[in-house]
Amino acid sequence: MVRDYDNWIDGCWIETPRRLDRFSPADGRLLSRFADSDCEVLDLGVKAARAAFDHRDRWPYLPGSQRAQHLTRLADLIVAHSEKLSEIESEEAGKPIRFARAEVAWAAELIRYAAALAWQIPGDAVSNIGEAALGLVTREPRGVVGIIVPWNFPLVTLFQKLAFALAAGCTTVIKPSELTSGTALEVAILAKQAGFPDGVINVVTGTGVNVGDAMTSHPGIDMISFTGSTAVGKHVARRCADSIKRVGLELGGKAANIVFPDADLDAAVDGVLLGYILNQGQECVQGTRLLVHADIAKQFVEQLVDRSKRIRLGLPMDESADMGPLIHDSHMNGVLNHIRRASTEGARLAIGGYQVADPPFDRGCFVTPTVFDHVTTDMALFRDEVFGPVLAVTTFSADDEAVTLANYTGYGLGNGVWTKDIDRAVFCSRRLKSGTVYVNTYLETSVQMPFGGFKESGMGRENGMDGLLEFTETKSTFIKLGNRLPALPHTVAA
Ligand code: NDP
């Protein structure tokens, strides 16, 4: 059955005649039809969010405890509808169903955590400025937030923003990826059931060129919170600069796993494997580079190749699949071009490197796990974000060299360090220029820990208390107590 969606604005569906079709990346079936909106429809969404923020229902002024209740009810409903949401996520994004379920569960966890933060938005009193004055430093919601998210983790990237923006008291207009808008729209319906006032959550679907650009220039939007590629992120930041719109950017990455000879090598192989194949490698913090000590490189790569052979490709609903299809044809062709270029530039293909042509995968965008070794810093594969299941292996001989190699990229989202030596682990982590460092694991995290990038991987943080504060402005209120002496006494009439 094809799912057909309009836009969700001010608590109801708003009919929009033009449609964008989403075909399955696994077998080409038509899955969903989304509204292909323009700036006029966006304007309706912004007006609804503006009204919900500025005067109706007083969402920003509800006690945090009440906003928390709404959020908690939403998390409960998401869990109750997990199977439906997971199926939509799995089909539209092409990810194996068990990973889609994990994503839904993680989204619920983000919401519950943000709900807890709504209780305790911090503030300060400045009480040491004399007997006759008191300073209050308060955190106020930024206003209407435009949320723009990509297709790779549609629900998690959404809730790393939405849950915290709502907890802070902001209202929202969401533009999901045109390829994976289904779950954002389903969530909006659940939010209504959870009791969110109309206009607090609006979803306007469409292309980045139409809806995205209209959002970044819309005077009714106070902040843009964007997740996506670094190229589009720069464009978004430039447009926001025109009106000094606040902007949060979660962008691309080129993470490295550094494996020292004293590591638990079986655990490291496991972490590196997961790090490069999860979500078909379409992950901002994908461990796309392996920096392995020369003394153990041969044996390590052999083990990795051996385990990569056992990765199971599958259609999205296949419960046992480890990897599904890439998101669409042209993205797959881009990944295959990266693979061809790596071979041309002299990297050695250790496994994979091709599109699967056998049934049942012949109608989809399935690319095998691919490992290149002998990768050097002058090769594009060492520098460029591939966003596919492709690992670049480079060797090193000294700790300093490993850190230099890891930092030899314009990105700075994540890195991994594998060693049993605590000094080495800490020294190395400190010198890595990335927002996250995983030690003796990869991709494990918790909602309490901020996530974001150094360098061209972004600006601002999501999750943790930092993630909440992103959606607030700081206000200083200086209160004079008692009688105020005139500042210009000579102007006072005698
Ligand atoms: P894009 O940058 O192409 O798109 C991201 C979102 O921006 C989509 O909703 C897209 O709309 C929209 N968009 C496109 N053009 C514009 C525009 N001119 N103005 C405003 N919005 C626009 O990224 P992808 O969807 O291809 O996602 C992959 C990228 O996302 C990778 O680089 C990845 O590293 C990064 N990413 C970063 C994460 C992080 O937390 N740091 C997490 C996940 C992904 P449309 O619907 O038209 O595509």
Side-chain angles (χ1 to χ4, degrees):
M1 192 194 71
V2 178
R3 293 178 289 266
D4 191 29
Y5 296 98
D6 275 311
N7 285 303
W8 182 266
I9 295 175
D10 215 4
C12 59
W13 296 111
I14 296 293
E15 244 178 75
T16 314
R18 283 188 14 222
R19 282 287 181 272
L20 289 164
D21 292 337
R22 173 58 172 149
F23 296 97
S24 163
D27 58 20
R29 252 175 332 124
L30 178 61
L31 296 173
S32 318
R33 312 194 72 209
F34 304 120
D36 184 6
S37 314
D38 55 20
C39 53
E40 281 164 30
V41 182
L42 173 73
D43 196 47
L44 294 178
V46 176
K47 282 199 173 101
R50 211 49 282 162
F53 187 84
D54 290 336
H55 44 90
R56 250 177 22 200
D57 294 310
R58 316 283 288 159
W59 176 254
Y61 296 103
L62 277 189
S65 58
Q66 286 184 30
R67 288 204 298 273
Q69 273 176 17
H70 286 87
L71 284 161
T72 306
R73 277 198 295 267
L74 177 59
D76 291 344
L77 283 168
I78 284 178
V79 171
H81 292 78
S82 163
E83 211 44 37
K84 179 179 185 186
L85 292 170
S86 304
E87 281 180 26
I88 298 173
E89 198 79 330
S90 174
E91 287 193 330
E92 289 181 4
K95 61 183 72 194
I97 183 75
R98 66 195 169 99
F99 293 108
R101 286 194 194 107
E103 191 181 341
V104 173
W106 188 248
E109 182 132 334
L110 283 162
I111 301 168
R112 291 190 203 288
Y113 173 67
L117 293 184
W119 283 79
Q120 55 170 55
I121 295 173
D124 267 326
V126 181
S127 54
N128 61 346
I129 47 179
E131 197 181 11
L134 181 66
L136 296 180
V137 183
T138 51
R139 293 280 189 163
E140 305 203 348
R142 285 207 195 273
V144 173
V145 180
I147 293 178
I148 303 176
V149 283
W151 44 258
N152 58 343
F153 290 96
L155 271 179
V156 164
T157 52
L158 173 62
F159 278 106
Q160 290 194 166
K161 303 169 182 307
L162 179 63
F164 295 83
L166 296 172
C170 297
T171 61
T172 58
V173 182
I174 300 161
K175 194 211 88 67
S177 164
E178 67 189 84
L179 303 170
T180 55
S181 300
T183 47
L185 290 153
E186 296 287 344
V187 159
I189 304 169
L190 295 179
K192 175 137 180 154
Q193 290 173 26
F196 278 87
D198 293 345
V200 171
I201 300 174
N202 306 278
V203 183
V204 178
T205 60
T207 62
V209 173
N210 288 334
V211 182
D213 267 345
M215 284 171 96
T216 50
S217 61
H218 199 295
I221 292 182
D222 300 297
M223 174 182 182
I224 295 287
S225 181
F226 172 89
T227 297
S229 59
T230 294
V232 177
K234 287 179 181 176
H235 170 80
V236 165
R238 276 192 289 267
R239 288 176 64 91
C240 288
D242 283 344
S243 59
I244 315 291
K245 217 185 265 317
R246 303 295 186 265
V247 64
L249 301 172
E250 295 295 338
L251 308 176
K254 192 72 192 177
N257 264 301
I258 306 176
V259 181
F260 291 98
D262 62 3
D264 173 343
L265 294 183
D266 289 337
V269 169
D270 194 74
V272 171
L273 180 64
L274 178 75
Y276 93 89
I277 66 102
L278 185 74
N279 212 39
Q280 300 67 253
Q282 301 165 133
E283 163 135 20
C284 49
V285 76
Q286 179 202 16
T288 172
R289 292 180 298 156
L290 165 63
L291 306 176
V292 57
H293 194 281
D295 290 352
I296 55 163
K298 187 164 180 297
Q299 152 208 1
F300 194 91
V301 173
E302 277 169 12
Q303 272 191 50
L304 190 65
V305 165
D306 194 44
R307 289 195 53 182
S308 298
K309 284 180 191 153
R310 285 181 239 151
I311 291 294
R312 291 176 301 226
L313 263 62
L315 298 175
M317 290 303 148
D318 177 348
E319 296 281 348
S320 65
D322 300 316
M323 275 175 54
L326 296 177
I327 192 73
H328 55 59
D329 274 355
S330 70
H331 181 66
M332 177 182 68
N333 291 332
V335 170
L336 294 171
N337 278 340
H338 279 287
I339 290 172
R340 276 189 286 275
R341 182 163 176 195
S343 293
T344 315
E345 290 186 341
R348 191 190 71 103
L349 183 63
I351 185 176
Y354 58 92
Q355 179 188 1
V356 185
D358 305 324
F361 304 124
D362 50 337
R363 284 179 300 145
C365 307
F366 293 85
V367 171
T368 51
T370 300
V371 176
F372 280 100
D373 60 9
H374 302 176
V375 175
T376 51
T377 52
D378 54 335
M379 294 179 189
L381 193 61
F382 192 89
R383 298 184 309 269
D384 296 348
E385 190 180 41
V386 175
F387 231 52
V390 183
L391 181 72
V393 183
T394 306
T395 58
F396 66 88
S397 305
D399 293 22
D400 279 356
E401 186 189 2
V403 172
T404 305
L405 284 169
N407 288 337
Y408 192 78
T409 163
Y411 295 110
L413 199 56
N415 285 297
V417 178
W418 299 84
T419 173
K420 287 288 177 199
D421 180 334
I422 183 71
D423 289 352
R424 178 179 260 164
V426 175
F427 282 135
C428 193
S429 311
R430 283 194 174 163
R431 293 171 55 206
L432 287 169
K433 296 191 190 321
S434 59
T436 297
V437 179
Y438 304 95
V439 177
N440 293 326
T441 187
Y442 204 70
L443 297 177
E444 277 186 71
T445 186
S446 94
V447 292
Q448 297 100 313
M449 297 179 71
F451 179 74
F454 285 21
K455 303 192 276 184
E456 294 201 8
S457 287
M459 262 170 28
R461 290 294 177 270
E462 297 186 338
N463 303 349
M465 180 54 89
D466 293 31
L468 179 90
L469 297 182
E470 287 284 321
F471 294 102
T472 65
E473 293 278 8
T474 304
K475 176 180 278 181
S476 293
T477 307
F478 187 99
I479 304 168
K480 182 73 191 161
L481 304 170
N483 293 331
R484 180 178 179 278
L485 294 177
L488 303 166
H490 58 281
T491 61
V492 179

